[in-house]
Amino acid sequence: MKFTRSIGARWGLSFLAGLVLLSLWFWLVDGASPLEVLRFFTTASSDVAPPVPFGRVGGVLLVLFVLAWALGLGIVLIQKLLGIGYGPMPVARLVVREATRMRGSVVPIFLLLLVLAIIPATLNTDSPLRYRIQSYLAYSLNVTSLMLGALTVFLGCFAISNEIQEGQARSIFSKPVQRFQYLFGKVLGISVLNALLVAVCGLGMAFVTTTWLARLPALDDYDSNAVREQILTARQVIYPQAPFDLEADAQERLARLQEDNPGWIEERGGVATVYRELLHQVRTEWLSIGPHRQQTYIFSGLQNARDRGEMLQMRFLIEMMPEPPDRILRVVLLANGRQTSLATTIRSAQVVSVPADFIDENGVLELTVVNLDPSDPETLPVASISFPAKDGLQVLFKVDDFLPNLFRSMLLIWVKLVFLAMLSVCAGTFLSFPVACIFALTIWVLAAGSSEILDSLHFTPHEHSHGHETEEQATDFIYERIVVPTMTLMVSGFRKYSYLDVSSRIVDGRNIPWGIVRQYLFWIGLVWSAAIGLIGWLIFRNREIARVQV
Amino acid sequence: MESKQTVVEVRGLTKVFRDFWMRPRVTAVQDLDLSVRKGEVIGLLGPNGSGKSTTIKMILGLLFPTKGHISLFGKPPTDVALKKRVGYLPEDSNLFRFLNAVETLDFYGRLFHLPPSERKRRIEMLLGMVGLEGAMYRPIGEYSKGMQRRMGLAQALVNDPDLLILDEPTTGMDPIATRQMKDLIRHLHERGKTIILCTHLLGEVEDVCTRLVIMFGGRIRAQGSVDELLSVPELQNIEVEPLRPETIEKIDALIQSEEQKKIRKVETPRMRLETLFLNVVEKAEKEGLQTSGATTGGRLAEFLGESAGDRALDLDSLVQSLPRPEPVAPAQTETETPALDHDLLRTMSGDEPVETPGLEEGLEPVEPVSEEADYDLLEDLTGAERPKKKPSSEIEADPETEGPR
Ligand SMILES: Nc1ncnc2c1ncn2[C@@H]1O[C@H](COP(=O)(O)OP(=O)(O)OP(=O)(O)O)[C@@H](O)[C@H]1O
Ligand SMILES: [Mg+2]
């Protein structure tokens, strides 16, 4: 058609015009000739690449240009794609068309791109490069999933409720369209649009981190190594196992308590509660080391790292009570019998490199930590040290590169958006727009915060303070018997949705394995969405299209 | 022409609207029986809130009946496949604000699984027919009310439906579009399509419908063919070129002596507002004035004429015939059935020819003069219609020269 051909021509022209303007800017403002710029973009590795040839504003313009152009091209392409076929496809195409023309969605999309382009220019250049890159990644990932989530709720709730309210649904359903086709078409449209937006945002992040930020000068060697080895990478994490059976230990203690003091167990809230507390206690004891003592931690499943032959990273964080005055602490780390480190600071994470050939042929690394400095008895620590239960001690090794990992993280964000789209569209089938929005937002918040909510429900300390005893018992009862179980029931279904913290994985350069991505795709993208869709369809099937709700 | 095949069959239809607590609030339709046969043009009349739109929505499956049975082409209205044969223009044009006319029609065409080439062809024709070619790449949200109405009509016709349901199709449309709507309905009727027309413009109904159904309070109060309901056997009209008063007196005397009757009224027909309007617009278009709005359109979308083939209406010649400056009375006398006798209907339709005051000197009118002003006003307000029903092949004949009654 004549019409679309002119659109293609317009895109081509705008691309050329943008390119010319950008080169002019780089040349006149940043003083980099087009040849230098070209050399910069054609050299991928940072060892041989010339320094970044553009300043902050130039960088923002460049990123904006790339993103806007990619988005425009993508919109044209997905409209073409959805132009094939009948049934739900035209409905999906309509969604995309409306979403890319309606101010309510165009403005947030534009703002998102703007934010992604502007953040790198606002980072403090005095701070180490690794922190800058980490802030950028954390901020942009969170902004992307938040903004796109909100946009999805808006578009999804709008899709059907608005068409019923304003009456377009009457013309649509006087045509041969099945209700599930319509429902599915709406979700499909929003999800395809989301795929494009997620892809564009991911492109932006990849572009900013690898071609701009990562090629800025680092503070020192450690800084540039950290960027390469701890952020722009994808590492697998191995957590330590105890050399003995923690659960058996807890069971044993429980049995002893039951013999000695059965009444006390009842007072503490029953066998299950006491067992949980005991297990926690055993774990904590294993993770702490008294003065002049040692503890063993076993990392297994390292065959992969051994085969790759790359350095292992041992990451640990030590707490100490009481703190030594210089906050320096001496411990001995023995990895499979070989000593690796002596001194360390407390309360901030340390990374120690361990050669891969320390690992034994079974892929096991046995780490012994001694709370003692034999060479200098004068400065003997007299206090216990401990590793925090969560992430206090771990071994990491590279299994993949940054970009594929970023791609998987984007895929996860998208899968969650598919579910959110289905939820919002279905909410719009029986609720009016504002009510549907509130409904979908509530569920989204519950799902996204489910891990934290569950943690806070189960680990809230009950401090029996002084005061009105009876009143407290009553509220305690309500809290424990009613609030906790209902909240747990409501939220635990959603645990899958948020148990993987995508942004912290990327920020810490930790791998997101394909297995998890597949799980998310299957459970959240398919099973959950299908279940919600089925409920939505059953409701929608019995809805009177021409019935306006007041 | 009318076959026995029933297109819509409604038995004992009742619709009760309930509130949130399921308490009945409004009985919109009550125990309604209706059957529409193939080829009929049914005019659904009734005051506001009498349940016309509700009935239509139930026929289309957009509302579910509380009680009763509906069959559409012999199947329940929830059967999606039979919507392929239905076209519906809702009472309020509800279109996609962000799409333009081409995209909208393309979307609806896709819902009917029309192949791309066929969609393109139909879109061009339909936009030509409703006169929106000039505005086809503008978003519909910017359209005026009447332009949206025209889009609504185009949308309803995209599948060349066998059953066309029009809910107040001419609200907001200009007189030309109104006229074309009438001609379109006639044309589709000739092709054997079934049409349900719901409107408040009684002239419209009278001109095109084969059967009338008048509803009140959710029930049918009267139904029957237009001739049955509207003919007034006690009166006759004679139409001639202007006569001298003496001649009229002589005729009066003649009638008295021959038939012992009197002339009840003598008047000169006035050019009707519709005609005047059509003339002005036609002239402006001839002079090539630009408009960002709708143009006359009127070329009937070819695909709508296809299966009938032989007798596509030439709507252009209709417009051409209009701009004649002065009413010329044909030298022919025809007897006519006068328009509605029913008082209420006459007042609502407002399409009575009005007595010219100039003639009053010659003969005193039989009817009270005080009524004139009202008719005048009503005529202005409603967009006058011809009071009489003519076969469609004669529509090119001069509408300006309608005789006095
Ligand atoms: N969704 C609804 N909820 C409650 N009552 C309704 C609803 N829709 C229609 N009604 C009521 O049903 C009755 C019939 O309405 P309907 O729209 O069928 O009238 P109508 O004959 O089309 O009127 P009009 O000439 O104004 O278009 C009215 O009393 C109206 O208030
Ligand atoms: Mg109505």
Side-chain angles (χ1 to χ4, degrees), chain B residues 137-238:
Chain B
Y137 290 127
R138 284 170 55 199
I140 288 179
E142 289 177 4
Y143 280 15
S144 73
K145 183 169 189 288
M147 288 163 80
Q148 295 197 3
R149 215 67 197 128
R150 288 168 182 234
M151 258 320 287
L153 177 67
Q155 164 271 125
L157 291 172
V158 78
N159 57 329
D160 189 15
D162 291 334
L163 169 66
L164 183 62
I165 299 182
L166 303 169
D167 198 346
E168 298 182 30
T170 50
T171 42
M173 278 191 179
D174 62 34
I176 300 174
T178 309
R179 177 64 162 276
Q180 283 163 353
M181 175 71 78
K182 263 195 285 184
D183 295 329
L184 174 79
I185 294 172
R186 277 201 202 99
H187 170 77
L188 293 174
H189 171 55
E190 273 170 30
R191 280 191 51 210
K193 306 283 184 182
T194 315
I195 297 167
I196 299 178
L197 173 66
C198 179
T199 182
H200 293 297
L201 298 184
L202 302 183
E204 216 164 70
V205 180
E206 201 188 330
D207 285 354
V208 297
C209 292
T210 57
R211 194 146 70 86
L212 298 184
V213 173
I214 303 177
M215 291 180 68
F216 186 88
R219 295 169 187 272
I220 294 180
R221 307 304 300 226
Q223 63 173 317
S225 77
V226 177
D227 288 337
E228 270 166 40
L229 289 178
L230 298 186
S231 66
V232 185
E234 317 86 70
L235 288 178
Q236 269 184 339
N237 283 355
I238 299 172

Side-chain angles (χ1 to χ4, degrees), chain A residues 544 547, chain B residues 13-18 26-31 54 58 63-67:
Chain A
E544 293 182 303
R547 182 84 183 263
Chain B
L13 188 66
T14 300
K15 178 70 190 178
V16 180
F17 284 107
R18 295 171 187 276
V26 185
T27 305
V29 175
Q30 216 169 349
D31 213 10
T54 306
M58 282 191 283
L63 289 175
F64 303 141
T66 311
K67 235 173 38 209

Side-chain angles (χ1 to χ4, degrees), chain A residues 1-3 79 82-87 90-91 93-94 97-98 101-103 158 162-163 166-179 181 186 541-547, chain B residues 15 17-19 57 60-65 80-81 83-84 86 88 90-92 94-100 103 106-116 119-120 137 155-156 158:
Chain A
M1 279 205 317
K2 175 174 74 211
F3 195 55
Q79 285 193 30
L82 294 174
I84 310 165
Y86 305 97
V91 180
R93 194 157 96 128
L94 186 72
R97 283 204 160 141
E98 285 191 320
R101 294 174 193 190
M102 197 163 41
R103 224 159 284 164
F158 190 76
N162 181 65
E163 272 172 16
E166 292 210 334
Q168 289 94 337
R170 286 176 223 174
S171 336
I172 293 181
F173 286 107
S174 63
K175 315 259 181 278
V177 186
Q178 303 275 7
R179 297 202 178 185
Q181 287 179 333
K186 292 285 182 193
R541 215 167 53 131
N542 297 310
R543 171 95 198 254
E544 293 182 303
I545 297 295
R547 182 84 183 263
Chain B
K15 178 70 190 178
F17 284 107
R18 295 171 187 276
D19 65 6
K57 286 170 189 165
L60 285 165
L62 299 176
L63 289 175
F64 303 141
V80 166
K83 304 271 167 72
K84 282 208 155 115
V86 179
Y88 171 49
E91 52 190 327
D92 36 7
N94 18 56
L95 300 155
F96 304 100
R97 261 180 287 156
F98 302 97
L99 301 193
N100 61 39
E103 290 165 340
D106 187 67
F107 169 70
Y108 285 120
R110 279 168 195 267
L111 295 187
F112 285 106
H113 292 236
L114 296 178
R119 281 203 304 269
K120 195 160 176 274
Y137 290 127
Q155 164 271 125
V158 78

Side-chain angles (χ1 to χ4, degrees), chain A residues 182-216:
Chain A
Y182 176 75
L183 200 80
F184 178 68
K186 292 285 182 193
V187 177
L188 180 70
I190 297 175
S191 297
V192 169
L193 182 68
N194 271 333
L196 173 68
L197 291 172
V198 166
V200 169
C201 291
L203 174 77
M205 282 176 233
F207 186 78
V208 168
T209 35
T210 56
T211 39
W212 182 2
L213 295 181
R215 290 164 83 171
L216 290 172

